[in-house]
Amino acid sequence: MDKSLQSEGKSFNVQQMIESNKKKTSIGEKIERIIPTLLFLCAAVSVVTTVGILFTFLRESIGFFSDVSIIDFYTGSQWSPWSGEFGVAPLIGGTLLITLIATIVAVPLGLMSAIFLSEYASDKARRVIKPVLEVLAGIPTVVYGYFALTFVTPMFQFFLPDLGIFNALSGGFVVGIMILPMVASLSEDAMNSVPNALREAAYGLGSTKLEVVVKVVLPAAFSGIVASIVLAISRAIGETMIVTIAAGATPNLTLNPTESIQTMTAFIVQAATGDTSFGSTIYYSLYAVGMTLFVFTLVMNLIAQYISRKFREEY
Amino acid sequence: MSEVMVKKKNNTVNKASKREENSFGLQKEKANHIIEVNDLNLWYGSDQALYEVNMDVPEKQVTAIIGPSGCGKSTFLKTLNRMVEMVPVVKTSGSIKYRDQEIFNRKYKQEYLRTKVGMVFQKPNPFPKSVYDNVAYGPRIHGIKKKEILDQIVEKSLKGAAIWDELKDRLHENAYGLSGGQQQRVCIARALAVEPDVILMDEPTSALDPISTAKVEELVQELKEKYSIIIVTHNMQQAARISDKTAFFLNGELIEFADTDHLFQNPQDKRTEDYITGRFG
Ligand SMILES: Nc1ncnc2c1ncn2[C@@H]1O[C@H](COP(=O)(O)OP(=O)(O)O)[C@@H](O)[C@H]1O
Ligand SMILES: [Mg+2]
């Protein structure tokens, strides 16, 4: 029996070789044991950072709310911190107005692009358009901001002669352009992951192309699409540079997109770069506004996560 | 008189004589041809997948298509409702007539063809919707909106697919929660809901367990009362059990097409004989 296991001439025993190698690998074993701890520490960095930021936010916000009542902060409708008025509503309003305009621009355009790329485009068209979209996503937001101020606003002024230099419309429009690639590319991923078998089933029943898209692909990709939109909206809420440059610095509770407004982020830039003295109420108000902004984007992200988790269960 | 249907170039003569036979009122076996395929060639890009296929599909019978993997069975089946053209590089030549109308004609609408020539796929592919919405999908896209009518269609189709009793209390559950066999019968019901004329089935039982397979086979027998069925199968016993006629494909060619009993007991072509006796494939 043994002989048949041995190749001619040389004889060796694999089990013995494994045994002797095992002794040599005791260092390897130690590394093996340390690795999880090491990886855990790396992962912990981001957790600790988040907790640290939250903690700072909370502490400084609490400092602020001992000066200004939290009720006045959230119910007041006047934001002029340099004259002691801390009603945050105009900043929230400004942020929501920008977000609304951006969504109105990005969702239809993004969805149409996604449908085109996923269902209609030839391979060739897709190969050209997708990288272009990705370039769009890589443009620094400060460039977008100047684009809004020096190109989009003058263009809009051609149609709306009363439009001021700083206005919510061009800011929101360009934020929309900025988040468009996100909507387009994530929605396209969602549509691409709809199995072809479903399209075949629909064509097999005599559907036209449009019916397949509208009645089968979009519903099947629905949660992925919604998640992409929610994520894009949360980007728009947090967008800073474009609105600081193009939308003005006038806290203004309005729905009129042609007026100059100020968003939460733009106020934070203004106060943080101006000569706000440390420990003043304005200094602390940064944290209260930052905290409010954080809650907004956090909620949007949670919604997106919830939806995309549901989406994974569908097929 | 034997119905060996591997038509040579003399198929016009062949057809004329058949028409005469019909006018004498011969019974079902000499029934009308619902689909007539003539000199069909098909290419995927520069690779030819079908060569000069000629085949007349009888009405209200079960026609089985057998042959080794890769011989073009699915391609042929998908050509009959022009689904094969979803692959952009596909080119065809020749003629396919459905009820005497040329389906390759540019004016012939694919959507119309597919409501007449329905299809059931190899892997069950229900939509991620409720059982009800799956079955109602076809009628709905063709403009049937009334709830009472849709209710009736759904019930009738599920009964037709022999799955009504199992599912009548689960109509509003997602079809993804059903077993594979149930899903496949829902897909059959979905195809029946538009009341097609012909049903194409591409290895409909290959992803199913033996019990579900038996149910689908039984169902096929019932369906041929009302529908003409063309079924691809790699299982020769299945072809022998359920079909009236069998076509044997090899390397993109139709080698032999005859009554099922005839083909299995007395194959005319050496290659058919080799295949059914298990000498290759
Ligand atoms: N989408 C496609 N693109 C290119 N070639 C294909 C495609 N589908 C099938 N073929 C080729 O056509 C031939 C027949 O395939 P198919 O009809 O799927 O065979 P079967 O169903 O008999 O197994 C095979 O050689 C296969 O490689
Ligand atoms: Mg196949």
Side-chain angles (χ1 to χ4, degrees), chain B:
Chain B
M1 264 300 280
S2 75
E3 282 254 327
V4 181
M5 287 254 162
V6 186
K7 290 184 295 175
K8 303 278 146 47
K9 282 291 163 198
N10 64 347
N11 71 55
T12 40
V13 181
N14 216 344
K15 234 173 250 167
S17 63
K18 235 166 265 148
R19 232 162 253 141
E20 269 165 42
E21 284 170 1
N22 280 341
S23 59
F24 288 121
L26 290 184
Q27 79 272 43
K28 214 173 172 188
E29 249 187 282
K30 305 287 185 303
N32 288 324
H33 298 139
I34 192 156
I35 292 178
E36 298 179 0
V37 179
N38 281 303
D39 299 330
L40 175 69
N41 289 287
L42 185 141
W43 294 262
Y44 288 107
S46 55
D47 298 332
Q48 188 160 3
L50 295 175
Y51 297 84
E52 293 291 314
V53 176
N54 289 285
M55 183 165 152
D56 290 344
V57 180
E59 190 174 3
K60 293 197 176 151
Q61 295 196 14
V62 177
T63 304
I65 298 178
I66 60 169
S69 173
C71 69
K73 305 183 294 295
S74 299
T75 301
F76 177 70
L77 199 70
K78 283 189 282 183
T79 311
L80 298 180
N81 68 350
R82 298 187 58 186
M83 290 278 287
V84 77
E85 291 164 41
M86 280 177 70
V87 179
V89 294
V90 161
K91 277 190 208 68
T92 51
S93 77
S95 144
I96 298 179
K97 289 208 170 95
Y98 162 69
R99 289 204 182 274
D100 293 328
Q101 302 224 306
E102 177 58 54
I103 68 166
F104 286 138
N105 194 318
R106 222 189 300 153
K107 287 200 190 118
Y108 199 94
K109 286 191 82 165
Q110 297 185 18
E111 290 82 30
Y112 171 78
L113 176 68
R114 290 172 194 158
T115 63
K116 291 294 183 185
V117 183
M119 186 153 198
V120 175
F121 297 82
Q122 183 165 1
K123 262 179 60 191
N125 57 353
F127 300 124
K129 303 173 191 273
S130 69
V131 171
Y132 185 100
D133 287 342
N134 262 283
V135 180
Y137 176 91
R140 275 183 178 142
I141 59 164
H142 296 109
I144 299 170
K145 298 266 153 63
K146 277 224 180 77
K147 184 159 184 316
E148 313 90 77
I149 296 181
L150 286 174
D151 286 350
Q152 283 177 32
I153 293 176
V154 169
E155 178 171 346
K156 192 173 155 202
S157 311
L158 287 170
K159 278 181 175 157
I163 196 172
W164 171 254
D165 291 331
E166 273 168 75
L167 293 187
K168 63 175 180 247
D169 301 319
R170 301 170 66 183
L171 292 181
H172 297 286
E173 275 176 39
N174 196 310
Y176 272 38
L178 305 176
S179 74
Q182 289 173 327
Q183 286 186 5
Q184 191 62 302
R185 279 177 291 150
V186 167
C187 291
I188 293 173
R190 183 176 63 186
L192 297 183
V194 293
E195 297 192 353
D197 211 8
V198 182
I199 302 177
L200 310 175
M201 298 183 162
D202 192 352
E203 303 193 24
T205 62
S206 69
L208 305 184
D209 61 87
I211 292 172
S212 306
T213 299
K215 282 187 182 160
V216 171
E217 284 186 9
E218 204 177 307
L219 179 58
V220 168
Q221 291 303 305
E222 288 166 23
L223 289 176
K224 78 171 185 183
E225 296 286 315
K226 284 163 80 185
Y227 305 92
S228 311
I229 295 172
I230 307 175
I231 183 168
V232 168
T233 173
H234 62 245
N235 180 334
M236 278 180 283
Q237 285 76 31
Q238 184 172 65
R241 274 196 301 271
I242 64 176
S243 71
D244 301 299
K245 302 196 74 155
T246 298
F248 170 59
F249 275 74
L250 185 65
N251 298 331
E253 277 181 82
L254 175 57
I255 304 297
E256 189 163 347
F257 180 43
D259 288 351
T260 297
D261 297 342
H262 203 276
L263 185 127
F264 280 103
Q265 279 154 26
N266 188 12
Q268 300 295 300
D269 194 291
K270 178 81 171 51
R271 291 166 292 183
T272 313
E273 191 182 342
D274 286 348
Y275 183 69
I276 61 180
T277 54
R279 233 162 292 174
F280 68 88

